[in-house]
Amino acid sequence: MDDAMETGNLAPYQDRPRTFPNMRSKPSTPLVFRILMTMNVRLLFVLMFVVFGGIFYIGASTSPIIVFVFSICIVSFILSIYLTKWVLAKDEGPPEMAQISDAIRDGAEGFFKTQYGTISKMALFLAVVIFGIYMFRTTTPQQEASGIGRLTSASITVFSFLLGAVCSGMAGYVGMWVSVRANVRVSSAARRSAREALQIAVRAGGFSALVVVGMAVIGVAILYATFYVWLGVDTPGSMKVTDLPLLLVGYGFGASFVALFAQLGGGIFTKAADVGADLVGKVEQGIPEDDPRNPAVIADLVGDNVGDCAARGADLFESIAAEIISAMILGGTMAQKCKIEDPSGFILFPLVIHSFDLIISSVGIFSIRATRDPGAMGGGMEDPMTILQKGYSITIVLAVITFGFTTRWMLYTEQAPSAWFNFALCGLVGITTAYLFVWITQYYTDYKHEPVRRLALSSSTGHGTNIIAGISLGLESTALPVLVISVAIVSAFWLGNTSGLVDEAGNPTGGLFGTAVATMGMLSTAAYVLTMDMFGPIADNAGGIVEMSQQPESVREITDILDAAGNTTKATTKGFAIGSAALASFLLFSAYMDEVASFARVPFAQVDIAIPEVFVGGLLGSMLIFLFSAWACAAVGRTAQEVVNEVRRQFIERPGIMEYKDKPDYGRCVAIVAAASLREMIKPGALAVISPIFIGIVFRILGYYTGHPLLGAKVVASMLMFATVSGILMALFFNTAGGAWDNAKKYIETGALGGKGSESHKAAVTGDTVGDPFKDTAGPSLHVLIKMLATITLVMAPVFL
């Protein structure tokens, strides 16, 4: 090979062995997994028996419901192991496919290790800060009555925060681990059957989804049961069970902290590489997407895994954890106000709902089978979105049935015998909201529908008209989701208020819990939704491997169809995540109001924005959303510039790349994007963490000197309210506009409006490039941000008083 290089007598690139660089100098598997893999199998089984035995003992000492939750989660983990073995048993195809997959895996695992090493250091620093704050904060009357001092409270919060951070990181690793191993198997299956390739991608996503949701549920359950036993809850002189959920808020904050930085770093990585690869490869050089001659192509494929898989796993983990904890807080508060004799049903209800989610989503995942299809024979194949929608419809139907059963089992009380039925209707409102969100987002982002086709048509008149049409489509797409969320919140609140549950004064108290139940209904199919989300990047990677390994055009056609469906599923699941974030943030806001009232020992039920300082807090909250979005998009732009310069340099200095006579330096682009994304994620992430704390402390001091003791808490509440509203709208715009631009390009690549290489296609590529940081960096980071703002205010509430 060296002689051939020196003499220039290289055979065509396609005819030579295609090898790709190993980008990792040492194993990047997390230490805990490496230790487990080196252990003796019998010792590992004994260790697992002891651990699970201890967990079940703590659960049995708490409630039979906790034992039920533990059992379902463990069964789901066993099922996920089966899915893993099933996927890994599939072949990896020819050697060139395996080599490309290895390069992607090495790059993704190397970046994950470095990124999460940075995040862990920041989390440890923040844990020390939280501990210090809690050592000097006030305590609630309930904590004083139960003998929980500042040290105990600080230790509990810090432990919960670190556990949430660790579990969120593990959820991200699981999402990435399966995607970097399933991609090549989907590519290989596409050589035989489109339906088989679809099934492998879905089951690989299903493994990740079951583990992520199961970890979120069992993590909260273990924490709840441990504190219940350790603190002797409900024994004379100890804490009441209705106050216990407040001790779990640190878990949600830890999960959201890691999810935000994972989403930022992964989003910057994936979109900077994608933009750089597209601008130089497609627009300047006129080569196809994922062409092996493009030096940034491996970085682009690595980005799909660290951005769309690892970050989304951490994101959904955080969403479920935050929703469970906020619903438990509101359920405990309502049960206390209504003097319900056994409040455990209202507190543990969210855990049971998500346990059933694991069951019904598993049915939906296994409903997708590799039946014989004509796709392998070069004919038409059934639309992948239709197949995925059938699985989702099955999951939705089962969710309605299990939700009704669970509300009757858990929420029946003699004080209001029909209340459970009202709450079941609240759940139905949430399930319907989820379905409508998926449908609306699909309508605006799938090229089978009119909006994306209009956007593609605008590309025929140039780059500028494509950008204008895409922005207007994104702005328009916020209307229907906002109307749906509005109807859902009002309907659920009204159903809860008319449930018959009243406090001692006869006032209805079920409204907020009704919205909590609606949020649970929306997330009651979360595992299947995450499966569809993971399907997208796996299909995208599979298409890249097929293109780079130069498989026949018929194979690429199959992966292109799967990729287009994956773009739609990613957009729809992001829309789903935004909708659930809106409802969850409303719950967390209500929980914040309750916590402030508990610490201040005075009622805190309203926030008056007519007060100048409070209105300013709202302005600052909205500004935070725009500034955060600007910094996130700018980070992608700066990193993409470095990629563009590097790719251009390689094409100039190695002209043989275009003739397949010289090989690009893929590793150089990966290294550039990795270093830049880690550097760029710090500033917007720090802004999100520091801003609410700084604003609360400043206005607390101002309130102290002006005679308004609750001013800091009120300003933070206003900031949170305005940030939530602005963030939801901005995230909807980013997500839908970016997804529509992407699929408008895919539509043209099917042969419409001149097909690949046409002027329309070049304009569509520009639109897709603009939309990349919208849909995969700023948009997903925003809905994580608004939940993190809510959890950080919950944890830091005493600081504002």
Side-chain angles (χ1 to χ4, degrees), residues 107-139:
E109 291 182 347
F111 175 75
F112 183 92
K113 178 184 178 181
T114 307
Q115 181 192 28
Y116 275 76
T118 304
I119 294 173
S120 63
K121 293 174 185 175
M122 293 188 291
L124 288 172
F125 174 76
L126 187 56
V128 173
V129 173
I130 294 172
F131 186 83
I133 291 173
Y134 268 62
M135 287 300 293
F136 294 97
R137 70 168 212 168
T138 57
T139 54

mmCIF file of all heavy atoms in Angstrom, residues 107-139:
data_model
loop_
_atom_site.group_PDB
_atom_site.id
_atom_site.type_symbol
_atom_site.label_atom_id
_atom_site.label_comp_id
_atom_site.label_asym_id
_atom_site.label_seq_id
_atom_site.Cartn_x
_atom_site.Cartn_y
_atom_site.Cartn_z
ATOM 1 N N GLY A 107 -15.789 6.361 17.832
ATOM 2 C CA GLY A 107 -15.920 7.809 17.958
ATOM 3 C C GLY A 107 -16.988 8.199 18.958
ATOM 4 O O GLY A 107 -16.797 9.104 19.773
ATOM 5 N N ALA A 108 -18.139 7.509 18.920
ATOM 6 C CA ALA A 108 -19.239 7.836 19.820
ATOM 7 C C ALA A 108 -18.886 7.530 21.276
ATOM 8 O O ALA A 108 -19.135 8.341 22.181
ATOM 9 C CB ALA A 108 -20.494 7.055 19.410
ATOM 10 N N GLU A 109 -18.301 6.364 21.515
ATOM 11 C CA GLU A 109 -17.973 5.994 22.891
ATOM 12 C C GLU A 109 -16.851 6.866 23.448
ATOM 13 O O GLU A 109 -16.848 7.217 24.634
ATOM 14 C CB GLU A 109 -17.602 4.518 22.953
ATOM 15 C CG GLU A 109 -18.794 3.595 22.698
ATOM 16 C CD GLU A 109 -18.437 2.116 22.819
ATOM 17 O OE1 GLU A 109 -17.237 1.797 22.847
ATOM 18 O OE2 GLU A 109 -19.373 1.294 22.881
ATOM 19 N N GLY A 110 -15.905 7.241 22.595
ATOM 20 C CA GLY A 110 -14.836 8.126 23.041
ATOM 21 C C GLY A 110 -15.372 9.493 23.429
ATOM 22 O O GLY A 110 -14.997 10.055 24.467
ATOM 23 N N PHE A 111 -16.271 10.050 22.607
ATOM 24 C CA PHE A 111 -16.845 11.349 22.934
ATOM 25 C C PHE A 111 -17.714 11.265 24.183
ATOM 26 O O PHE A 111 -17.691 12.151 25.031
ATOM 27 C CB PHE A 111 -17.682 11.873 21.761
ATOM 28 C CG PHE A 111 -18.399 13.155 22.076
ATOM 29 C CD1 PHE A 111 -17.712 14.353 22.137
ATOM 30 C CD2 PHE A 111 -19.768 13.164 22.324
ATOM 31 C CE1 PHE A 111 -18.370 15.541 22.442
ATOM 32 C CE2 PHE A 111 -20.437 14.338 22.628
ATOM 33 C CZ PHE A 111 -19.731 15.530 22.680
ATOM 34 N N PHE A 112 -18.486 10.178 24.290
ATOM 35 C CA PHE A 112 -19.361 10.019 25.461
ATOM 36 C C PHE A 112 -18.550 10.048 26.748
ATOM 37 O O PHE A 112 -18.913 10.707 27.723
ATOM 38 C CB PHE A 112 -20.135 8.700 25.348
ATOM 39 C CG PHE A 112 -21.111 8.471 26.475
ATOM 40 C CD1 PHE A 112 -22.426 8.886 26.364
ATOM 41 C CD2 PHE A 112 -20.713 7.846 27.642
ATOM 42 C CE1 PHE A 112 -23.316 8.685 27.410
ATOM 43 C CE2 PHE A 112 -21.595 7.636 28.678
ATOM 44 C CZ PHE A 112 -22.910 8.056 28.562
ATOM 45 N N LYS A 113 -17.443 9.323 26.740
ATOM 46 C CA LYS A 113 -16.604 9.269 27.942
ATOM 47 C C LYS A 113 -16.087 10.655 28.304
ATOM 48 O O LYS A 113 -16.151 11.076 29.469
ATOM 49 C CB LYS A 113 -15.436 8.317 27.722
ATOM 50 C CG LYS A 113 -14.486 8.227 28.910
ATOM 51 C CD LYS A 113 -13.292 7.336 28.616
ATOM 52 C CE LYS A 113 -12.330 7.301 29.801
ATOM 53 N NZ LYS A 113 -11.150 6.456 29.526
ATOM 54 N N THR A 114 -15.599 11.388 27.322
ATOM 55 C CA THR A 114 -15.057 12.716 27.581
ATOM 56 C C THR A 114 -16.152 13.681 28.021
ATOM 57 O O THR A 114 -15.983 14.447 28.979
ATOM 58 C CB THR A 114 -14.367 13.268 26.321
ATOM 59 O OG1 THR A 114 -13.407 12.318 25.861
ATOM 60 C CG2 THR A 114 -13.680 14.578 26.608
ATOM 61 N N GLN A 115 -17.290 13.645 27.315
ATOM 62 C CA GLN A 115 -18.389 14.556 27.636
ATOM 63 C C GLN A 115 -18.928 14.318 29.040
ATOM 64 O O GLN A 115 -19.087 15.257 29.825
ATOM 65 C CB GLN A 115 -19.522 14.392 26.610
ATOM 66 C CG GLN A 115 -20.696 15.331 26.874
ATOM 67 C CD GLN A 115 -21.922 14.976 26.056
ATOM 68 O OE1 GLN A 115 -22.112 13.813 25.708
ATOM 69 N NE2 GLN A 115 -22.741 15.957 25.749
ATOM 70 N N TYR A 116 -19.187 13.070 29.369
ATOM 71 C CA TYR A 116 -19.766 12.786 30.687
ATOM 72 C C TYR A 116 -18.734 12.931 31.802
ATOM 73 O O TYR A 116 -19.097 13.137 32.956
ATOM 74 C CB TYR A 116 -20.418 11.399 30.687
ATOM 75 C CG TYR A 116 -21.829 11.450 30.155
ATOM 76 C CD1 TYR A 116 -22.067 11.579 28.791
ATOM 77 C CD2 TYR A 116 -22.919 11.412 30.993
ATOM 78 C CE1 TYR A 116 -23.347 11.654 28.285
ATOM 79 C CE2 TYR A 116 -24.215 11.483 30.505
ATOM 80 C CZ TYR A 116 -24.420 11.597 29.155
ATOM 81 O OH TYR A 116 -25.701 11.689 28.651
ATOM 82 N N GLY A 117 -17.442 12.834 31.457
ATOM 83 C CA GLY A 117 -16.425 13.168 32.443
ATOM 84 C C GLY A 117 -16.506 14.632 32.826
ATOM 85 O O GLY A 117 -16.416 15.001 34.009
ATOM 86 N N THR A 118 -16.709 15.494 31.821
ATOM 87 C CA THR A 118 -16.857 16.930 32.079
ATOM 88 C C THR A 118 -18.127 17.214 32.866
ATOM 89 O O THR A 118 -18.115 17.990 33.828
ATOM 90 C CB THR A 118 -16.888 17.701 30.740
ATOM 91 O OG1 THR A 118 -15.707 17.407 29.993
ATOM 92 C CG2 THR A 118 -16.988 19.197 30.976
ATOM 93 N N ILE A 119 -19.227 16.581 32.465
ATOM 94 C CA ILE A 119 -20.501 16.801 33.158
ATOM 95 C C ILE A 119 -20.423 16.339 34.609
ATOM 96 O O ILE A 119 -20.949 16.995 35.526
ATOM 97 C CB ILE A 119 -21.643 16.068 32.415
ATOM 98 C CG1 ILE A 119 -21.863 16.689 31.031
ATOM 99 C CG2 ILE A 119 -22.939 16.129 33.219
ATOM 100 C CD1 ILE A 119 -22.851 15.930 30.162
ATOM 101 N N SER A 120 -19.759 15.214 34.858
ATOM 102 C CA SER A 120 -19.668 14.689 36.227
ATOM 103 C C SER A 120 -18.912 15.647 37.142
ATOM 104 O O SER A 120 -19.268 15.810 38.318
ATOM 105 C CB SER A 120 -19.011 13.307 36.223
ATOM 106 O OG SER A 120 -17.680 13.391 35.755
ATOM 107 N N LYS A 121 -17.871 16.285 36.614
ATOM 108 C CA LYS A 121 -17.128 17.260 37.431
ATOM 109 C C LYS A 121 -18.004 18.445 37.795
ATOM 110 O O LYS A 121 -17.987 18.914 38.947
ATOM 111 C CB LYS A 121 -15.880 17.729 36.668
ATOM 112 C CG LYS A 121 -14.842 16.642 36.468
ATOM 113 C CD LYS A 121 -13.704 17.122 35.573
ATOM 114 C CE LYS A 121 -12.720 15.986 35.281
ATOM 115 N NZ LYS A 121 -11.669 16.409 34.318
ATOM 116 N N MET A 122 -18.797 18.925 36.829
ATOM 117 C CA MET A 122 -19.699 20.041 37.118
ATOM 118 C C MET A 122 -20.779 19.618 38.115
ATOM 119 O O MET A 122 -21.166 20.400 39.001
ATOM 120 C CB MET A 122 -20.333 20.546 35.822
ATOM 121 C CG MET A 122 -19.347 21.192 34.868
ATOM 122 S SD MET A 122 -20.134 21.986 33.446
ATOM 123 C CE MET A 122 -20.748 20.552 32.555
ATOM 124 N N ALA A 123 -21.269 18.387 37.988
ATOM 125 C CA ALA A 123 -22.300 17.896 38.906
ATOM 126 C C ALA A 123 -21.759 17.786 40.333
ATOM 127 O O ALA A 123 -22.453 18.128 41.299
ATOM 128 C CB ALA A 123 -22.820 16.540 38.432
ATOM 129 N N LEU A 124 -20.532 17.312 40.479
ATOM 130 C CA LEU A 124 -19.934 17.219 41.812
ATOM 131 C C LEU A 124 -19.756 18.598 42.435
ATOM 132 O O LEU A 124 -20.019 18.793 43.633
ATOM 133 C CB LEU A 124 -18.582 16.499 41.732
ATOM 134 C CG LEU A 124 -18.639 14.987 41.477
ATOM 135 C CD1 LEU A 124 -17.242 14.441 41.220
ATOM 136 C CD2 LEU A 124 -19.281 14.263 42.672
ATOM 137 N N PHE A 125 -19.325 19.564 41.640
ATOM 138 C CA PHE A 125 -19.182 20.929 42.150
ATOM 139 C C PHE A 125 -20.532 21.484 42.601
ATOM 140 O O PHE A 125 -20.649 22.081 43.670
ATOM 141 C CB PHE A 125 -18.579 21.827 41.066
ATOM 142 C CG PHE A 125 -18.530 23.286 41.444
ATOM 143 C CD1 PHE A 125 -17.583 23.753 42.335
ATOM 144 C CD2 PHE A 125 -19.451 24.179 40.910
ATOM 145 C CE1 PHE A 125 -17.548 25.096 42.694
ATOM 146 C CE2 PHE A 125 -19.428 25.515 41.257
ATOM 147 C CZ PHE A 125 -18.467 25.977 42.153
ATOM 148 N N LEU A 126 -21.565 21.259 41.770
ATOM 149 C CA LEU A 126 -22.892 21.757 42.123
ATOM 150 C C LEU A 126 -23.432 21.055 43.367
ATOM 151 O O LEU A 126 -24.131 21.667 44.178
ATOM 152 C CB LEU A 126 -23.850 21.559 40.939
ATOM 153 C CG LEU A 126 -25.243 22.170 41.086
ATOM 154 C CD1 LEU A 126 -25.163 23.664 41.367
ATOM 155 C CD2 LEU A 126 -26.057 21.925 39.815
ATOM 156 N N ALA A 127 -23.109 19.771 43.535
ATOM 157 C CA ALA A 127 -23.547 19.038 44.733
ATOM 158 C C ALA A 127 -22.964 19.667 45.995
ATOM 159 O O ALA A 127 -23.648 19.788 47.022
ATOM 160 C CB ALA A 127 -23.122 17.574 44.620
ATOM 161 N N VAL A 128 -21.701 20.080 45.930
ATOM 162 C CA VAL A 128 -21.078 20.751 47.079
ATOM 163 C C VAL A 128 -21.787 22.074 47.371
ATOM 164 O O VAL A 128 -22.047 22.419 48.530
ATOM 165 C CB VAL A 128 -19.572 20.993 46.804
ATOM 166 C CG1 VAL A 128 -18.955 21.848 47.905
ATOM 167 C CG2 VAL A 128 -18.835 19.669 46.687
ATOM 168 N N VAL A 129 -22.135 22.815 46.307
ATOM 169 C CA VAL A 129 -22.851 24.083 46.477
ATOM 170 C C VAL A 129 -24.214 23.845 47.126
ATOM 171 O O VAL A 129 -24.613 24.557 48.059
ATOM 172 C CB VAL A 129 -23.009 24.795 45.110
ATOM 173 C CG1 VAL A 129 -23.907 26.028 45.253
ATOM 174 C CG2 VAL A 129 -21.651 25.183 44.560
ATOM 175 N N ILE A 130 -24.935 22.847 46.639
ATOM 176 C CA ILE A 130 -26.255 22.537 47.206
ATOM 177 C C ILE A 130 -26.132 22.166 48.676
ATOM 178 O O ILE A 130 -26.926 22.611 49.513
ATOM 179 C CB ILE A 130 -26.924 21.392 46.408
ATOM 180 C CG1 ILE A 130 -27.251 21.847 44.991
ATOM 181 C CG2 ILE A 130 -28.191 20.908 47.112
ATOM 182 C CD1 ILE A 130 -27.728 20.720 44.084
ATOM 183 N N PHE A 131 -25.141 21.344 49.004
ATOM 184 C CA PHE A 131 -24.943 20.939 50.399
ATOM 185 C C PHE A 131 -24.696 22.166 51.284
ATOM 186 O O PHE A 131 -25.269 22.293 52.372
ATOM 187 C CB PHE A 131 -23.764 19.979 50.504
ATOM 188 C CG PHE A 131 -23.562 19.401 51.870
ATOM 189 C CD1 PHE A 131 -24.288 18.293 52.290
ATOM 190 C CD2 PHE A 131 -22.667 19.977 52.763
ATOM 191 C CE1 PHE A 131 -24.119 17.761 53.554
ATOM 192 C CE2 PHE A 131 -22.488 19.457 54.036
ATOM 193 C CZ PHE A 131 -23.213 18.342 54.429
ATOM 194 N N GLY A 132 -23.862 23.085 50.789
ATOM 195 C CA GLY A 132 -23.585 24.290 51.570
ATOM 196 C C GLY A 132 -24.821 25.142 51.769
ATOM 197 O O GLY A 132 -25.067 25.664 52.870
ATOM 198 N N ILE A 133 -25.620 25.285 50.717
ATOM 199 C CA ILE A 133 -26.845 26.085 50.819
ATOM 200 C C ILE A 133 -27.817 25.466 51.813
ATOM 201 O O ILE A 133 -28.410 26.159 52.658
ATOM 202 C CB ILE A 133 -27.491 26.240 49.429
ATOM 203 C CG1 ILE A 133 -26.631 27.136 48.539
ATOM 204 C CG2 ILE A 133 -28.911 26.775 49.538
ATOM 205 C CD1 ILE A 133 -27.093 27.219 47.102
ATOM 206 N N TYR A 134 -27.984 24.151 51.733
ATOM 207 C CA TYR A 134 -28.942 23.480 52.615
ATOM 208 C C TYR A 134 -28.490 23.494 54.076
ATOM 209 O O TYR A 134 -29.311 23.381 54.969
ATOM 210 C CB TYR A 134 -29.166 22.043 52.144
ATOM 211 C CG TYR A 134 -30.337 21.913 51.192
ATOM 212 C CD1 TYR A 134 -30.344 22.569 49.966
ATOM 213 C CD2 TYR A 134 -31.444 21.156 51.520
ATOM 214 C CE1 TYR A 134 -31.394 22.468 49.099
ATOM 215 C CE2 TYR A 134 -32.519 21.040 50.652
ATOM 216 C CZ TYR A 134 -32.485 21.701 49.441
ATOM 217 O OH TYR A 134 -33.561 21.609 48.585
ATOM 218 N N MET A 135 -27.206 23.633 54.310
ATOM 219 C CA MET A 135 -26.716 23.695 55.687
ATOM 220 C C MET A 135 -27.062 25.029 56.350
ATOM 221 O O MET A 135 -27.040 25.136 57.581
ATOM 222 C CB MET A 135 -25.209 23.473 55.728
ATOM 223 C CG MET A 135 -24.777 22.035 55.476
ATOM 224 S SD MET A 135 -25.458 20.868 56.684
ATOM 225 C CE MET A 135 -24.615 21.401 58.169
ATOM 226 N N PHE A 136 -27.400 26.027 55.542
ATOM 227 C CA PHE A 136 -27.714 27.349 56.103
ATOM 228 C C PHE A 136 -29.156 27.774 55.829
ATOM 229 O O PHE A 136 -29.522 28.908 56.096
ATOM 230 C CB PHE A 136 -26.756 28.405 55.528
ATOM 231 C CG PHE A 136 -25.331 28.202 55.935
ATOM 232 C CD1 PHE A 136 -24.441 27.544 55.097
ATOM 233 C CD2 PHE A 136 -24.876 28.641 57.173
ATOM 234 C CE1 PHE A 136 -23.120 27.343 55.468
ATOM 235 C CE2 PHE A 136 -23.557 28.448 57.548
ATOM 236 C CZ PHE A 136 -22.673 27.793 56.705
ATOM 237 N N ARG A 137 -29.944 26.876 55.284
ATOM 238 C CA ARG A 137 -31.314 27.242 54.933
ATOM 239 C C ARG A 137 -32.258 26.973 56.095
ATOM 240 O O ARG A 137 -31.917 26.292 57.081
ATOM 241 C CB ARG A 137 -31.779 26.442 53.718
ATOM 242 C CG ARG A 137 -31.999 24.978 54.028
ATOM 243 C CD ARG A 137 -32.719 24.245 52.925
ATOM 244 N NE ARG A 137 -33.545 23.193 53.502
ATOM 245 C CZ ARG A 137 -34.471 22.518 52.843
ATOM 246 N NH1 ARG A 137 -34.676 22.781 51.583
ATOM 247 N NH2 ARG A 137 -35.192 21.597 53.428
ATOM 248 N N THR A 138 -33.500 27.493 55.961
ATOM 249 C CA THR A 138 -34.533 27.203 56.958
ATOM 250 C C THR A 138 -35.136 25.832 56.674
ATOM 251 O O THR A 138 -34.923 25.246 55.615
ATOM 252 C CB THR A 138 -35.642 28.263 56.891
ATOM 253 O OG1 THR A 138 -36.178 28.284 55.563
ATOM 254 C CG2 THR A 138 -35.096 29.641 57.240
ATOM 255 N N THR A 139 -35.882 25.327 57.625
ATOM 256 C CA THR A 139 -36.555 24.044 57.453
ATOM 257 C C THR A 139 -38.065 24.251 57.538
ATOM 258 O O THR A 139 -38.542 25.244 58.088
ATOM 259 C CB THR A 139 -36.125 23.039 58.537
ATOM 260 O OG1 THR A 139 -36.339 23.621 59.829
ATOM 261 C CG2 THR A 139 -34.655 22.686 58.389
#
